CSV table of all heavy atoms in Angstrom, one decimal:
chain,number,residue,atom,x,y,z
A,3,PHE,N,-7.6,-11.3,-22.8
A,3,PHE,CA,-8.3,-10.1,-23.3
A,3,PHE,C,-9.2,-10.5,-24.4
A,3,PHE,O,-10.0,-9.7,-24.7
A,3,PHE,CB,-7.3,-9.1,-23.7
A,3,PHE,CG,-6.7,-8.2,-22.5
A,3,PHE,CD1,-5.5,-8.3,-22.2
A,3,PHE,CD2,-7.5,-7.3,-21.9
A,3,PHE,CE1,-4.8,-7.6,-21.1
A,3,PHE,CE2,-7.0,-6.6,-20.8
A,3,PHE,CZ,-5.8,-6.7,-20.4
A,20,GLY,N,2.8,-5.9,-23.4
A,20,GLY,CA,3.2,-7.0,-22.4
A,20,GLY,C,1.8,-7.2,-21.5
A,20,GLY,O,2.0,-7.8,-20.5
A,21,TYR,N,0.7,-6.8,-21.9
A,21,TYR,CA,-0.6,-7.0,-21.2
A,21,TYR,C,-1.3,-8.3,-21.7
A,21,TYR,O,-1.9,-8.2,-22.7
A,21,TYR,CB,-1.4,-5.8,-21.1
A,21,TYR,CG,-0.8,-4.5,-20.6
A,21,TYR,CD1,-1.2,-3.3,-21.2
A,21,TYR,CD2,0.2,-4.5,-19.6
A,21,TYR,CE1,-0.5,-2.2,-20.8
A,21,TYR,CE2,0.6,-3.5,-19.2
A,21,TYR,CZ,0.3,-2.1,-19.6
A,21,TYR,OH,0.9,-1.1,-19.2
A,22,LEU,N,-1.1,-9.3,-21.1
A,22,LEU,CA,-1.7,-10.7,-21.7
A,22,LEU,C,-3.0,-11.1,-21.1
A,22,LEU,O,-3.9,-11.4,-21.9
A,22,LEU,CB,-0.7,-11.7,-21.6
A,22,LEU,CG,0.7,-11.4,-22.2
A,22,LEU,CD1,1.7,-12.4,-21.9
A,22,LEU,CD2,0.5,-11.1,-23.8
A,23,SER,N,-3.1,-10.9,-19.8
A,23,SER,CA,-4.3,-11.2,-19.3
A,23,SER,C,-4.9,-10.1,-18.4
A,23,SER,O,-4.1,-9.4,-17.8
A,23,SER,CB,-4.2,-12.5,-18.4
A,23,SER,OG,-3.2,-12.3,-17.5
A,24,PRO,N,-6.2,-9.8,-18.3
A,24,PRO,CA,-6.8,-8.7,-17.6
A,24,PRO,C,-6.7,-8.9,-16.0
A,24,PRO,O,-6.8,-10.1,-15.7
A,24,PRO,CB,-8.3,-8.7,-18.1
A,24,PRO,CG,-8.5,-10.1,-18.5
A,24,PRO,CD,-7.2,-10.7,-19.0
A,25,SER,N,-6.6,-7.8,-15.3
A,25,SER,CA,-6.7,-7.9,-14.0
A,25,SER,C,-8.1,-8.0,-13.6
A,25,SER,O,-9.0,-7.8,-14.3
A,25,SER,CB,-6.0,-6.6,-13.4
A,25,SER,OG,-6.9,-5.4,-13.6
A,28,GLN,N,-10.2,-5.0,-14.4
A,28,GLN,CA,-10.4,-4.9,-15.8
A,28,GLN,C,-11.4,-5.9,-16.3
A,28,GLN,O,-12.3,-5.5,-17.1
A,28,GLN,CB,-9.1,-5.2,-16.6
A,28,GLN,CG,-8.1,-4.0,-16.4
A,28,GLN,CD,-6.7,-4.3,-16.7
A,28,GLN,OE1,-6.4,-5.5,-17.1
A,28,GLN,NE2,-5.8,-3.4,-16.7
A,46,GLU,N,-8.0,0.2,-6.2
A,46,GLU,CA,-6.7,0.8,-5.8
A,46,GLU,C,-5.9,1.1,-6.9
A,46,GLU,O,-6.0,0.3,-8.0
A,46,GLU,CB,-5.8,-0.2,-4.9
A,46,GLU,CG,-6.4,-0.4,-3.5
A,46,GLU,CD,-5.9,0.9,-2.7
A,46,GLU,OE1,-4.8,1.5,-3.0
A,46,GLU,OE2,-6.7,1.2,-1.7
A,47,THR,N,-4.8,2.0,-6.8
A,47,THR,CA,-4.0,2.0,-8.0
A,47,THR,C,-3.0,0.8,-7.8
A,47,THR,O,-2.9,0.2,-6.6
A,47,THR,CB,-3.0,3.2,-7.7
A,47,THR,OG1,-2.9,3.6,-6.4
A,47,THR,CG2,-3.5,4.5,-8.5
A,48,GLY,N,-2.6,0.4,-8.9
A,48,GLY,CA,-1.7,-0.9,-8.8
A,48,GLY,C,-2.6,-2.1,-9.2
A,48,GLY,O,-2.1,-3.2,-9.4
A,49,SER,N,-3.9,-1.8,-9.5
A,49,SER,CA,-4.8,-2.8,-9.8
A,49,SER,C,-5.1,-3.1,-11.3
A,49,SER,O,-5.6,-3.8,-11.8
A,49,SER,CB,-6.2,-2.6,-9.1
A,49,SER,OG,-6.7,-1.4,-9.6
A,50,GLY,N,-4.5,-2.0,-12.0
A,50,GLY,CA,-4.7,-2.0,-13.4
A,50,GLY,C,-6.0,-1.0,-13.9
A,50,GLY,O,-6.5,-1.1,-14.9
A,51,LYS,N,-6.4,-0.2,-12.9
A,51,LYS,CA,-7.6,0.5,-13.1
A,51,LYS,C,-7.5,1.5,-14.3
A,51,LYS,O,-8.5,1.7,-15.0
A,51,LYS,CB,-8.1,1.2,-11.8
A,51,LYS,CG,-7.1,2.4,-11.6
A,51,LYS,CD,-7.7,3.0,-10.3
A,51,LYS,CE,-6.6,4.0,-9.7
A,51,LYS,NZ,-6.3,5.2,-10.5
A,52,THR,N,-6.3,2.1,-14.5
A,52,THR,CA,-6.2,3.0,-15.7
A,52,THR,C,-6.5,2.4,-16.9
A,52,THR,O,-7.4,2.9,-17.8
A,52,THR,CB,-4.8,3.7,-15.7
A,52,THR,OG1,-4.4,3.9,-14.3
A,52,THR,CG2,-4.7,4.8,-16.6
A,53,HIS,N,-6.0,1.1,-17.2
A,53,HIS,CA,-6.4,0.4,-18.4
A,53,HIS,C,-7.9,0.0,-18.5
A,53,HIS,O,-8.3,-0.3,-19.6
A,53,HIS,CB,-5.3,-0.7,-18.6
A,53,HIS,CG,-4.0,-0.2,-19.1
A,53,HIS,ND1,-3.2,0.3,-18.0
A,53,HIS,CD2,-3.4,-0.1,-20.3
A,53,HIS,CE1,-2.1,0.7,-18.7
A,53,HIS,NE2,-2.2,0.5,-20.0
A,84,GLN,N,0.7,10.5,-15.8
A,84,GLN,CA,0.8,9.0,-15.8
A,84,GLN,C,-0.2,8.4,-16.9
A,84,GLN,O,0.2,7.5,-17.6
A,84,GLN,CB,0.6,8.5,-14.5
A,84,GLN,CG,1.2,7.2,-14.1
A,84,GLN,CD,1.1,7.1,-12.5
A,84,GLN,OE1,1.9,7.6,-11.8
A,84,GLN,NE2,0.1,6.3,-12.1
A,88,PHE,N,0.4,6.3,-20.4
A,88,PHE,CA,-0.2,5.1,-20.8
A,88,PHE,C,-1.0,5.1,-22.1
A,88,PHE,O,-0.9,4.2,-22.9
A,88,PHE,CB,-1.3,4.7,-19.6
A,88,PHE,CG,-0.7,4.1,-18.4
A,88,PHE,CD1,-1.2,4.4,-17.1
A,88,PHE,CD2,0.6,3.3,-18.4
A,88,PHE,CE1,-0.7,3.8,-15.9
A,88,PHE,CE2,1.1,2.9,-17.2
A,88,PHE,CZ,0.6,3.1,-16.1
A,303,GLY,N,-2.0,6.9,-5.8
A,303,GLY,CA,-2.0,7.0,-7.3
A,303,GLY,C,-0.8,6.9,-8.0
A,303,GLY,O,-0.7,6.5,-9.2
A,304,LEU,N,0.3,7.1,-7.5
A,304,LEU,CA,1.5,7.2,-8.3
A,304,LEU,C,2.2,5.9,-8.5
A,304,LEU,O,2.2,5.0,-7.7
A,304,LEU,CB,2.6,8.1,-7.7
A,304,LEU,CG,1.8,9.6,-7.8
A,304,LEU,CD1,2.6,10.5,-6.8
A,304,LEU,CD2,1.9,10.1,-9.1
A,305,ASP,N,2.5,5.7,-9.8
A,305,ASP,CA,3.0,4.3,-10.2
A,305,ASP,C,4.6,4.4,-10.1
A,305,ASP,O,5.2,4.6,-11.1
A,305,ASP,CB,2.5,4.0,-11.6
A,305,ASP,CG,2.8,2.7,-12.0
A,305,ASP,OD1,2.9,1.9,-11.2
A,305,ASP,OD2,2.8,2.4,-13.3
A,307,LYS,N,7.7,2.2,-10.0
A,307,LYS,CA,7.8,0.8,-10.4
A,307,LYS,C,8.8,0.1,-9.4
A,307,LYS,O,9.7,0.8,-8.7
A,307,LYS,CB,8.4,0.5,-11.7
A,307,LYS,CG,7.3,0.8,-12.8
A,307,LYS,CD,7.5,-0.1,-13.9
A,307,LYS,CE,6.2,-0.2,-14.7
A,307,LYS,NZ,5.5,1.0,-15.0
A,333,ARG,N,3.0,-4.3,-6.7
A,333,ARG,CA,2.1,-3.9,-7.8
A,333,ARG,C,2.2,-5.0,-9.0
A,333,ARG,O,3.3,-5.5,-9.3
A,333,ARG,CB,2.5,-2.5,-8.4
A,333,ARG,CG,2.2,-1.5,-7.4
A,333,ARG,CD,3.0,-0.3,-7.6
A,333,ARG,NE,2.3,0.6,-8.6
A,333,ARG,CZ,1.2,1.2,-8.5
A,333,ARG,NH1,0.5,1.2,-7.4
A,333,ARG,NH2,0.8,1.9,-9.6
A,334,PHE,N,1.1,-5.2,-9.4
A,334,PHE,CA,0.9,-6.2,-10.5
A,334,PHE,C,1.6,-7.5,-10.3
A,334,PHE,O,2.5,-7.8,-11.1
A,334,PHE,CB,1.1,-5.5,-11.9
A,334,PHE,CG,-0.1,-5.5,-12.6
A,334,PHE,CD1,-1.0,-4.4,-12.4
A,334,PHE,CD2,-0.7,-6.6,-13.2
A,334,PHE,CE1,-2.3,-4.5,-12.9
A,334,PHE,CE2,-1.8,-6.7,-13.7
A,334,PHE,CZ,-2.6,-5.6,-13.6
B,501,AMP,P1,-2.8,1.3,-12.2
B,501,AMP,O1,-3.6,0.6,-11.4
B,501,AMP,O2,-3.6,1.8,-13.4
B,501,AMP,O3,-1.9,2.4,-11.5
B,501,AMP,O4,-1.7,0.3,-12.9
B,501,AMP,C1,-0.8,-0.2,-12.3
B,501,AMP,C2,0.3,-1.0,-13.4
B,501,AMP,O5,-0.3,-2.1,-13.8
B,501,AMP,C3,0.7,-0.1,-14.4
B,501,AMP,O6,2.2,0.0,-14.5
B,501,AMP,C4,0.3,-0.7,-15.7
B,501,AMP,O7,1.3,-0.8,-16.8
B,501,AMP,C5,0.1,-2.3,-15.2
B,501,AMP,N1,-0.9,-3.0,-15.9
B,501,AMP,C6,-2.2,-2.5,-16.1
B,501,AMP,N2,-3.0,-3.5,-16.7
B,501,AMP,C7,-2.1,-4.7,-16.7
B,501,AMP,C8,-2.4,-6.0,-17.1
B,501,AMP,N3,-3.5,-6.4,-17.6
B,501,AMP,N4,-1.4,-6.9,-17.1
B,501,AMP,C9,-0.2,-6.4,-16.5
B,501,AMP,N5,0.1,-5.2,-16.1
B,501,AMP,C10,-0.9,-4.2,-16.1
Side-chain angles (χ1 to χ4, degrees):
F3 279 112
Y21 303 145
L22 301 174
S23 51
S25 69
Q28 289 166 355
E46 282 285 329
T47 31
S49 59
K51 69 178 170 69
T52 314
H53 288 79
Q84 209 166 278
F88 283 147
L304 295 161
D305 189 22
K307 286 215 161 33
R333 289 164 82 74
F334 248 88

